[in-house]
Amino acid sequence: MSFLTLYGWVFPQLTLTGAVVCALFAVVAGHVGRLRRRRDGRGMALLGIVSGWLVLLTCATLTTVVLVVFGGLAALMDRP
């Protein structure tokens, strides 16, 4: 686990990409599970859909915040 944490700190862009890929997979797998209409897995399918969308929303928000902060810093440093 400590190696994965170190990997996340050294390569944060790959960690964010991995989170997005896993979230997309969770959303797709959740929808496939809901379409199969099995009673025993409906809760897990719904959990995959909700958690996948929450991770995607979090990643989009984090990316937007980082771009705005770095854009603002770049605009402040460009002034004479």
Side-chain angles (χ1 to χ4, degrees):
M1 189 64 166
S2 63
F3 176 74
L4 292 177
T5 306
L6 174 67
Y7 176 77
W9 281 105
V10 174
F11 302 109
Q13 66 277 12
L14 293 178
T15 305
L16 184 66
T17 305
V20 169
V21 169
C22 288
L24 287 174
F25 181 73
V27 170
V28 170
H31 282 293
V32 168
R34 296 277 291 181
L35 287 175
R36 289 188 180 177
R37 298 180 188 211
R38 295 183 65 187
R39 289 186 184 258
D40 55 347
R42 291 186 66 161
M44 292 297 286
L46 183 62
L47 180 66
I49 293 169
V50 170
S51 64
W53 280 112
L54 285 176
V55 169
L56 286 174
L57 179 67
T58 304
C59 289
T61 303
L62 179 67
T63 302
T64 303
V65 167
V66 167
L67 289 176
V68 167
V69 167
F70 283 127
L73 287 175
L76 287 175
M77 294 183 77
D78 250 0
R79 293 185 181 177

